[in-house]
Amino acid sequence: MPGRHAAPAASAVIAVLLGACSPSTPTPPAAAPVTVQSTPAAAPAKAVLGAFGFDVSGMDTGIEPGQDFFEYVNGNWTRNTEIPADRSSYSSFTTLVEQAQEDTRAILEAAAADAAAAGERRKIGDYYTAFMDEAGIEARGIAPVRAELDAIAALADKPGLARAFGASLRADVDLLNATDRYTDRLFGMWISANLKKPDQYVPYLVQGGLGMPDRDFYLEGGRMADLRTQYEAHVAKVFELAGMADGKAKAVKVLALETAIATLHATALETDDVEKGANTWSQADFAARAPGIDWSGFFDAAGLSAQPEFIVWQPQAVAGIAAVVDRLPLADWKDYLAFHAIERASPYLSKAFVDEHFAFNGKAMSGTPELRARWKRAVDEADDALGEAIGKIYVEKHFSAETKARANTMVANLITAFGRRIDAAAWMTPATKARARSKLNGLKVGMGYPDRWRDYSALEVRRDDALGNAQRASLFEYRRNLAKLGQPIDRGEWFMLPQTVNALNIPLENRLIFPAAILQAPFFDGAADDAINYGGIGGVIGHEISHSFDNNGALFDETGKLENWWTKEDFARFEEAGAALAAQYDEYKAFPDLAINGKLTLGENIADVAGLATAYDAYKLARADRPAMALDGFSPDQRVFLGWAQIWRSKFREQALRNTVLTNGHAPGHYRALTVRNIDAWYPAFDVRQGQALYLAPGQRVQVW
């Protein structure tokens, strides 16, 4: 999508690709502190996995596991790994992301060089070629965005403004699957199954309109105030590069306008509340509940004039933003639209725009010293536009039937293990257990790639039009989503690409997705020890299964409907366990002045605790008839937990870590590794004793499932 930048990279359900580390020794009951890397660095060395799939060289065995398990498993890796200059973080996920990028680059370059290429292969080659044509892009300057700027300048009244807002609406957010809630457009749109009627599609309208990632960047003091100063200077510079007069004055107005919007935004924690988001409005309701925008014109321009109802996720914000549209003068809104049009286009324009875009969105916002190589950006852009066309080739080259079969076997074992945990839950009544079992039994799993590939035949791609290609791809995706309305739910649609290093729980469909690219070492290795694989990809699979039963997933029944299937007493006990886990994570401090938000990260932390426990049980189930053998001096139990902590090895630059803690629903990797504190089997495996920093008495260990 054009211009997506340093807004929250709310990475789908499993992965914050990041984490942090510390040279300090934690003391009970305080959290393990972290340090960050803030200077440019050379590319990190790749881990060398041992004979059983674990990187022993990355360990720091001078640290006791009970003092800091993350550092025990990853301490040498942390000290010896430097974040590449073109990244704000580095992690186990990043190593696979980089491999997927290299593999995808080869696919794109081969297509681009093939003069006889036709169909989708021709499209992906032309898309890549257009983005890589730096000379042609430089020669065109600001021209590719000129028509859009002229249309904004021609706006004559507020009804025309409303139509401009509607015409710019895109399918650019995802509330429950990828949990990407940021859009720089006035509102975001997500088209998915209806929370209350899961057999029907509905459009979800989401708050938007900010150039920086979250309301706190506009409203808080300290570091945020400095970022606001830099943002205002950035806005002024963008206007200057575009040859527009009075850039500094315009920048003051843009920042003031966005600050007015920010005061109305729901917080990240409020947005995470599914039940608060389930607000059904008819189209007629908008004029009464959110006056200030010509909603009839807005929906007509958005292609939604025939849509009878919507779900409005943050109704107070939507109503407040509409009032701001009415209150502020048209001239201010035209400056705002012009800035965002240029900002969105900047990655596809000449070098001056690219450099300025990176100077703020990369350096200032995330602390990244160096712009990524152009081919890497081209790969990401092509994936955004034509991802499944690329994915089809990627799967043929890089994903075997054997890998898929072994992963499916692991899934079956993990589902069996989770079912046994439901059966053994002493706190849950038989009635609730029956519904939980029904939900688990109905869970569908997609492994590697979709059964049916997306059709891109209607997408126009030109070999000499980088910005136009991105804009047409964004509009193509929006129209593809609009076409769902009124149709039966497609329960085979994939919301991730095969070449994406991540995993996904789809609560509205009771379905899981595991892309091909994550099924590689250190997460999964066909030649590795089962214990390492169960601790790695098994923990990931268990995490995704558990999302169906976390504080949000537990609100959906076996059909995907938002419906209470719990007894009152059972849910109270479930919430009590969640509160204890949130309190545990509240103790972790990424910085002396910034702690992890236990409530914001609760769903992910529940899924980690239950997922790791389930993976451990599934390993025992899979190996029940085989003797327990030590490998390189590590017992099977130890290897499961080593596999888990290895996948969370990670480092951040300071501003990137701060942004993550403030806006992301995932805790940094350091703290996700410490999930082991809640698993009884971890204590005897590593001789963890009372008095050590990570020790929790049996009654303090949170076991949600």
Side-chain angles (χ1 to χ4, degrees), residues 2 38 88 93 128 142 207 227 244 262 269-270 355 424-425 469 471 491 510 513 519 529 611 639 656 668 692:
S38 59
S88 62
F93 286 87
Y128 183 78
I142 190 69
Q207 68 186 14
L227 282 172
M244 301 176 73
L269 193 56
E270 290 167 338
D355 288 348
N469 289 340
Q471 291 173 331
R491 300 188 183 277
N510 199 25
I513 289 174
L519 294 165
D529 166 51
R639 299 197 303 272
Q692 292 184 316

Side-chain angles (χ1 to χ4, degrees), residues 5-6 211-213 217-218 226-235 238 339 343 354-367:
H5 45 77
M212 291 190 286
F217 287 78
Y218 294 84
D226 181 56
L227 282 172
R228 286 195 291 277
T229 299
Q230 294 181 67
Y231 182 55
E232 185 177 305
H234 167 63
V235 177
V238 167
F339 163 69
E343 178 80 343
V354 172
D355 288 348
E356 176 57 31
H357 186 269
F358 172 72
F360 179 74
N361 295 297
K363 286 185 180 178
M365 289 300 298
S366 298

Side-chain angles (χ1 to χ4, degrees), residues 96 399 403 407 447-448 514-521 523-524 537 541:
L96 294 191
F399 189 64
T403 297
M447 188 62 66
F514 298 98
I518 201 172
L519 294 165
Q520 301 179 75
F523 293 84
F524 176 81
I537 196 65
I541 295 168

Side-chain angles (χ1 to χ4, degrees), residues 389-413:
I390 299 165
K392 190 187 307 183
I393 303 171
Y394 176 89
V395 165
E396 292 171 357
K397 291 179 175 292
H398 302 291
F399 189 64
S400 70
E402 292 78 12
T403 297
K404 182 169 182 172
R406 188 169 175 189
N408 279 327
T409 297
M410 292 183 72
V411 168
N413 287 336

Side-chain angles (χ1 to χ4, degrees), residues 91-179:
S91 71
S92 292
F93 286 87
T94 314
T95 61
L96 294 191
V97 168
E98 290 180 338
Q99 184 60 56
Q101 284 186 320
E102 291 279 6
D103 293 338
T104 302
R105 178 190 191 182
I107 292 168
L108 293 170
E109 290 186 344
D114 184 359
E120 290 183 347
R121 182 172 166 81
R122 174 65 179 270
K123 289 180 191 289
I124 65 176
D126 285 354
Y127 198 99
Y128 183 78
T129 298
F131 190 88
M132 293 298 291
D133 180 18
E134 293 183 83
I137 290 171
E138 196 69 30
R140 288 186 282 274
I142 190 69
V145 77
R146 179 58 61 195
E148 186 175 0
L149 294 176
D150 289 345
I152 292 167
L155 291 173
D157 52 32
K158 289 291 181 72
L161 178 65
R163 294 191 67 85
F165 286 138
S168 73
L169 198 64
R170 292 294 181 267
D172 56 359
V173 293
D174 183 331
L175 290 163
L176 295 174
N177 300 334
T179 55

